[in-house]
């Protein structure tokens, strides 16, 4: 309705402040302030999920309206999905062989680091070989990263800088965070109705839908 797309300036300022206040929050915050009791039955039955300001989703619930920060919601979904795949089998994440190896030009230090970590990368679904001192060849990637080779490698390299590479669980979490950042929507987000509904459904299925992987608040209830 018109009221959803044109809220009062006071209401908008209050809402913007709510989403800003948690920027530096501790990861996985579970403060009572963030707990939002929501019911997906309205959306599941065909209730319209609207896009607002190219950044937020307005979700009708049995209690009123829930405003969802779209990018943070997708960060949570992608992070959880990636972690579940990493821990989905004893042999590690599944991978998809590329028809043609993809060559990436990197710095000497980056190529050296990737070469030394090759065994760990295979368990993460990423198979590469060092072609020369500034080039690597990717032969396989996790299925959801095919076509995004550079983003996948950049995410791995970021894990080296964060320092958890020797710890398997911390390494997986760091890569999941970095991968989510590289692939989540950004800027002015425009989604068709079906994609808006799917995003909300996927978010509701997460164990911690109230906060993103960095502890920033995802939703506000009006």
């Amino acid at each position: 309705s018109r009221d959803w797309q044109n809220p009062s300036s006071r209401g908008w300022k209050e809402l913007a402040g709510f989403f800003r206040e948690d920027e530096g929050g501790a990861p996985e915050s579970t403060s009572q302030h963030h707990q939002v009791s929501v019911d997906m039955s309205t959306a599941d039955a065909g209730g319209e999920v609207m896009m607002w300001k190219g950044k937020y989703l307005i979700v009708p619930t049995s209690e009123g309206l829930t405003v969802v920060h779209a990018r943070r919601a997708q960060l949570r979904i992608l992070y959880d999905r990636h972690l579940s795949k990493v821990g989905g089998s004893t042999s590690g994440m599944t991978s998809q062989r590329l028809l043609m190896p993809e060559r990436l030009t990197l710095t000497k230090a980056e190529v050296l680091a990737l070469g030394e970590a090759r065994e760990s990368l295979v368990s993460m679904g990423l198979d590469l070989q060092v072609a020369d001192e500034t080039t690597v060849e990717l032969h396989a990637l996790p299925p959801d990263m095919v076509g995004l080779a550079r983003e996948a490698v950049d995410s791995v390299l970021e894990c080296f800088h964060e320092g958890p590479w020797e710890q398997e669980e911390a390494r997986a979490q760091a890569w999941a965070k970095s991968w989510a950042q590289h692939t989540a929507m950004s800027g002015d987000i425009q989604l068709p109705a079906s994609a808006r509904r799917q995003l909300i459904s996927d978010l509701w299925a997460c164990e911690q839908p109230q906060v993103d992987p960095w502890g920033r608040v995802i939703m506000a209830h009006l």
Side-chain angles (χ1 to χ4, degrees):
S1 71
R2 185 176 180 82
D3 288 342
W4 287 11
Q5 298 188 29
N6 296 283
S8 69
S9 59
R10 178 184 176 186
W12 166 248
K13 289 178 181 178
E14 290 176 351
L15 182 62
F18 181 81
F19 283 113
R20 276 200 307 269
E21 68 181 17
D22 230 26
E23 289 296 330
E28 311 303 351
S29 170
T30 55
S31 165
Q32 183 63 35
H33 182 60
H34 298 152
Q35 300 303 314
V36 180
S37 177
V38 289
D39 184 352
M40 272 299 295
S41 61
T42 303
D44 287 342
E48 184 177 5
V49 177
M50 297 190 68
M51 198 84 216
W52 179 29
K53 299 284 186 179
K55 190 173 183 178
Y56 304 101
L57 296 173
I58 310 297
V59 187
T61 72
S62 59
E63 299 176 351
L65 297 177
T66 296
V67 183
V68 174
H69 193 293
R71 174 174 165 79
R72 293 181 191 175
Q74 194 181 40
L75 286 170
R76 166 53 67 187
I77 294 164
L78 291 171
Y79 174 81
D80 286 8
R81 185 176 298 164
H82 189 77
L83 273 188
S84 69
K85 289 180 179 179
V86 171
S89 69
T90 56
S91 60
M93 182 181 285
T94 59
S95 63
Q96 180 173 324
R97 302 296 298 182
L98 303 180
L99 294 177
M100 294 289 293
E102 185 156 352
R103 294 173 67 91
L104 297 178
T105 300
L106 305 166
T107 68
K108 291 181 180 180
E110 289 171 338
V111 170
L112 181 62
L114 291 173
E116 292 179 347
R118 185 175 183 276
E119 185 175 340
S120 296
L121 295 178
V122 170
S123 70
M124 295 161 66
L126 198 156
D127 184 14
L128 60 79
Q129 292 182 356
V130 175
D132 57 50
E133 62 181 10
T134 59
T135 309
V136 296
E137 286 187 350
L138 272 74
H139 293 267
L141 288 166
D144 61 346
M145 296 181 184
V146 173
L148 297 168
R150 185 74 205 205
E151 289 86 347
V153 170
D154 285 345
S155 295
V156 168
L157 291 172
E158 287 176 10
C159 294
F160 284 106
H161 297 304
E162 293 188 18
W165 193 259
E166 299 303 320
Q167 304 168 27
E168 185 175 350
E169 184 177 356
R171 182 176 69 225
Q173 292 172 351
W175 195 29
K177 281 185 176 182
S178 180
W179 170 243
Q181 278 192 310
H182 277 285
T183 55
M185 304 173 291
S186 60
D188 242 5
I189 298 169
Q190 298 300 327
L191 297 172
S194 58
R196 296 195 296 265
R197 287 166 50 79
Q198 187 61 54
L199 183 67
I200 294 301
S201 180
D202 291 344
L203 176 64
W204 261 236
C206 294
E207 289 188 9
Q208 298 191 55
Q210 289 88 6
V211 292
D212 76 359
W214 289 264
R216 297 174 303 190
V217 66
I218 290 176
M219 64 183 77
H221 185 63
L222 302 180

